[in-house]
Amino acid sequence: MAESAYNEILLQQVEQALDTIRPYLKTDGGDVKVLEITEDRVVQLELMGACGSCPMSAMTFKGGIEQAIMRAVPEIKGIQAVNLTPMDV
Protein backbone atom coordinates (compact mmCIF):
# COMPACT_ATOMS: atom_id res chain seq x y z
CA MET A 1 0.00 0.00 0.00
CA ALA A 2 1.33 3.45 -0.87
CA GLU A 3 2.42 5.59 2.08
CA SER A 4 -0.03 8.38 1.21
CA ALA A 5 -2.95 5.92 1.10
CA TYR A 6 -1.86 4.49 4.45
CA ASN A 7 -1.65 7.99 5.95
CA GLU A 8 -5.15 8.72 4.64
CA ILE A 9 -6.45 5.60 6.43
CA LEU A 10 -4.67 6.67 9.63
CA LEU A 11 -6.17 10.15 9.31
CA GLN A 12 -9.67 8.68 8.95
CA GLN A 13 -9.12 6.50 12.02
CA VAL A 14 -7.84 9.46 14.04
CA GLU A 15 -10.84 11.57 12.97
CA GLN A 16 -13.20 8.75 14.01
CA ALA A 17 -11.50 8.59 17.42
CA LEU A 18 -11.82 12.35 17.81
CA ASP A 19 -15.48 12.19 16.84
CA THR A 20 -16.09 10.13 19.99
CA ILE A 21 -14.98 13.03 22.22
CA ARG A 22 -15.93 16.05 20.09
CA PRO A 23 -19.43 16.31 21.61
CA TYR A 24 -17.83 16.86 25.04
CA LEU A 25 -15.42 19.46 23.68
CA LYS A 26 -18.21 21.28 21.82
CA THR A 27 -20.35 21.38 24.98
CA ASP A 28 -17.67 23.64 26.46
CA GLY A 29 -17.24 25.68 23.27
CA GLY A 30 -14.16 23.90 21.95
CA ASP A 31 -13.02 21.51 19.27
CA VAL A 32 -9.86 19.90 17.91
CA LYS A 33 -8.41 19.87 14.40
CA VAL A 34 -5.84 17.46 12.95
CA LEU A 35 -3.07 19.48 11.31
CA GLU A 36 -1.00 16.54 10.09
CA ILE A 37 0.30 13.08 10.75
CA THR A 38 4.07 13.17 10.41
CA GLU A 39 6.22 10.52 8.71
CA ASP A 40 7.07 9.08 12.13
CA ARG A 41 3.32 8.77 12.87
CA VAL A 42 2.94 11.67 15.30
CA VAL A 43 -0.44 13.40 15.15
CA GLN A 44 -0.24 17.18 15.34
CA LEU A 45 -3.43 18.79 16.60
CA GLU A 46 -4.73 22.28 17.13
CA LEU A 47 -7.09 22.90 20.02
CA MET A 48 -9.79 25.28 18.82
CA GLY A 49 -12.34 27.61 20.36
CA ALA A 50 -12.46 27.53 24.15
CA CYS A 51 -10.03 24.58 24.21
CA GLY A 52 -7.25 26.75 22.79
CA SER A 53 -7.22 29.06 25.82
CA CYS A 54 -8.67 26.90 28.61
CA PRO A 55 -6.38 26.36 31.61
CA MET A 56 -7.68 22.78 31.79
CA SER A 57 -6.75 22.03 28.16
CA ALA A 58 -3.65 20.05 29.20
CA MET A 59 -5.83 17.69 31.25
CA THR A 60 -8.39 17.43 28.44
CA PHE A 61 -5.59 16.68 25.99
CA LYS A 62 -3.93 13.99 28.14
CA GLY A 63 -7.04 12.43 29.65
CA GLY A 64 -9.37 12.59 26.68
CA ILE A 65 -7.93 13.39 23.30
CA GLU A 66 -4.64 11.52 23.59
CA GLN A 67 -6.18 8.40 25.13
CA ALA A 68 -9.00 8.26 22.55
CA ILE A 69 -6.54 8.37 19.66
CA MET A 70 -3.99 5.95 21.13
CA ARG A 71 -6.70 3.43 22.05
CA ALA A 72 -8.36 3.57 18.61
CA VAL A 73 -5.23 3.84 16.43
CA PRO A 74 -2.32 1.92 17.99
CA GLU A 75 -0.12 2.67 14.94
CA ILE A 76 0.16 6.29 16.13
CA LYS A 77 3.42 6.81 18.03
CA GLY A 78 2.67 10.18 19.63
CA ILE A 79 0.33 13.16 19.78
CA GLN A 80 1.24 16.83 20.00
CA ALA A 81 -0.99 19.86 20.43
CA VAL A 82 0.60 22.91 18.83
CA ASN A 83 -1.22 25.39 21.07
CA LEU A 84 -1.60 23.58 24.38
CA THR A 85 -2.14 25.93 27.32
CA PRO A 86 0.23 25.01 30.16
CA MET A 87 -1.46 24.29 33.48
CA ASP A 88 -0.93 26.77 36.27
CA VAL A 89 1.43 25.35 38.87
Side-chain angles (χ1 to χ4, degrees):
M1 180 183 310
E3 187 69 22
S4 63
Y6 184 68
N7 284 346
E8 186 61 34
I9 291 169
L10 286 179
L11 177 60
Q12 289 174 359
Q13 292 174 335
V14 168
E15 287 289 352
Q16 288 174 346
L18 291 173
D19 285 345
T20 66
I21 61 168
R22 277 195 169 107
Y24 305 105
L25 300 176
K26 289 182 178 185
T27 297
D28 291 328
D31 202 355
V32 63
K33 174 182 173 183
V34 178
L35 299 176
E36 79 170 309
I37 299 176
T38 66
E39 287 182 18
D40 52 350
R41 297 201 179 106
V42 174
V43 178
Q44 294 190 336
L45 303 172
E46 178 181 5
L47 300 174
M48 299 169 55
C51 290
S53 59
C54 176
M56 299 302 287
S57 63
M59 289 178 61
T60 300
F61 176 74
K62 279 293 199 195
I65 297 170
E66 188 176 68
Q67 283 188 15
I69 293 172
M70 296 301 276
R71 196 170 32 244
V73 193
E75 298 89 347
I76 296 300
K77 303 297 180 208
I79 301 158
Q80 298 174 337
V82 299
N83 61 335
L84 191 62
T85 303
M87 288 178 30
D88 293 334
V89 182

